[in-house]
Amino acid sequence: MKKYALVTGGSRGIGKAICLRLAEMGCHILINYRSNTEAAEETLAQIENHGGQAYLLPFDASDGQAADMAVTDWQTAHPDDYISILVNNAGIRQDNMMVFMQDAQWHEVLDTTLNGFFYITRRLLKDMLTRRWGRIINIASLSGIKGLPGQTNYSAAKASLIGASKALAQEVATRKVTVNVIAPGFIETDMLKGLDEARLKPMIPAGRFGKPEEVAALAGFLASEQAAYITGEVISINGGLYT
């Protein structure tokens, strides 16, 4: 049976790398993105050029109604299939010291990561439970484990995602649905723009930033049959920066 994987925020960075990795494993990929159609089409083309199959599924992860409509349309067009792998990767940063943080900076960051996880996972969970197989992989952050100054909003969102994942893993384990978290440190993506590389790299025992492909390799394993007995785990990829 074909395996369909939905990757939110799948057009760039870590999300794109995960799309490419899952496609290499033979999954049919649903590339979610909010507004960057050009990047999403480029990811789609890369998958197809390597013999894979993918579809574009644009919607704002923080908008529950939009997410529901997009998934419903896909399900209507694919009545015999279901999305068995979900990677909740969509997230945004709006860094600021808390004393200066605006309401919108708080709500938009939490809405995308935490509400997005809730809306989309809830929508897909029933099919996974009914079919008795599913993989849910949530992309958190070092910020959600350690906390980082200037990121009380981002740290709150990612820490909440970790707690929710641990609870959900226990709810669904008997139906062969696993829920795991990947917590990247500093990874070479657009999210690092504005950060001081020269100051940060010496703090990392590995002496470098990570690559999106390294995160994607772990996501691929967690999505596989070999990871069936791993659930409720938070796995860091940070070069030894925080253990």
Side-chain angles (χ1 to χ4, degrees):
M1 183 178 179
K2 298 176 187 174
K3 280 193 170 67
Y4 289 87
L6 168 58
V7 181
T8 68
S11 64
R12 297 180 295 162
I14 289 173
K16 176 179 181 177
I18 292 173
C19 286
L20 296 175
R21 176 65 184 134
L22 294 177
E24 288 174 5
M25 293 168 57
C27 298
H28 295 230
I29 309 300
L30 282 67
I31 305 166
N32 162 256
Y33 65 100
R34 184 175 62 178
S35 58
N36 195 333
T37 303
E38 184 179 354
E41 288 177 344
E42 184 179 317
T43 302
L44 173 68
Q46 280 189 247
I47 292 172
E48 292 180 339
N49 289 341
H50 286 86
Q53 288 197 318
Y55 312 83
L56 299 182
L57 202 67
F59 62 84
D60 184 343
S62 69
D63 185 336
Q65 185 174 7
D68 190 71
M69 289 176 60
V71 172
T72 298
D73 288 346
W74 183 88
Q75 289 174 330
T76 300
H78 299 81
D80 298 324
D81 300 309
Y82 82 108
I83 298 167
S84 60
I85 299 168
L86 169 61
V87 181
N88 287 301
N89 169 71
I92 60 172
R93 273 180 47 215
Q94 292 195 26
D95 296 356
N96 207 344
M97 301 301 286
M98 189 172 187
V99 67
F100 302 120
M101 188 171 288
Q102 303 300 305
D103 288 359
Q105 291 178 308
W106 177 266
H107 289 295
E108 288 171 12
V109 169
L110 266 77
D111 285 350
T112 301
T113 290
L114 192 57
N115 291 351
F117 153 79
F118 172 69
Y119 294 138
I120 300 161
T121 305
R122 182 182 61 175
R123 183 66 177 76
L124 300 183
L125 200 53
K126 183 178 178 181
D127 281 343
M128 294 184 189
L129 296 174
T130 301
R131 307 287 187 111
R132 291 182 172 271
W133 199 95
R135 297 285 186 267
I136 298 168
I137 300 165
N138 297 321
I139 307 301
S141 168
L142 171 65
S143 185
I145 298 173
K146 178 183 181 293
L148 293 176
Q151 291 192 340
T152 53
N153 50 1
Y154 193 69
S155 294
K158 296 301 189 179
S160 298
L161 183 63
I162 289 170
S165 300
K166 287 178 173 289
L168 180 60
Q170 296 173 66
E171 292 180 7
V172 301
T174 58
R175 293 291 180 124
K176 299 182 180 178
V177 177
T178 66
V179 186
N180 289 291
V181 179
I182 299 175
F186 294 110
I187 308 296
E188 293 176 349
T189 69
D190 291 346
M191 290 281 275
L192 287 189
K193 284 182 178 176
L195 298 182
D196 186 346
E197 288 191 38
R199 181 180 65 84
L200 292 172
K201 283 185 178 178
M203 298 166 53
I204 304 169
R208 65 175 179 87
F209 290 162
K211 300 180 184 303
E213 292 76 16
E214 293 173 310
V215 180
L218 175 56
F221 172 69
L222 291 175
S224 72
E225 295 285 358
Q226 288 76 21
Y229 202 55
I230 301 172
T231 195
E233 290 300 312
V234 182
I235 305 175
S236 293
I237 301 184
N238 61 32
L241 177 61
Y242 186 80
T243 60

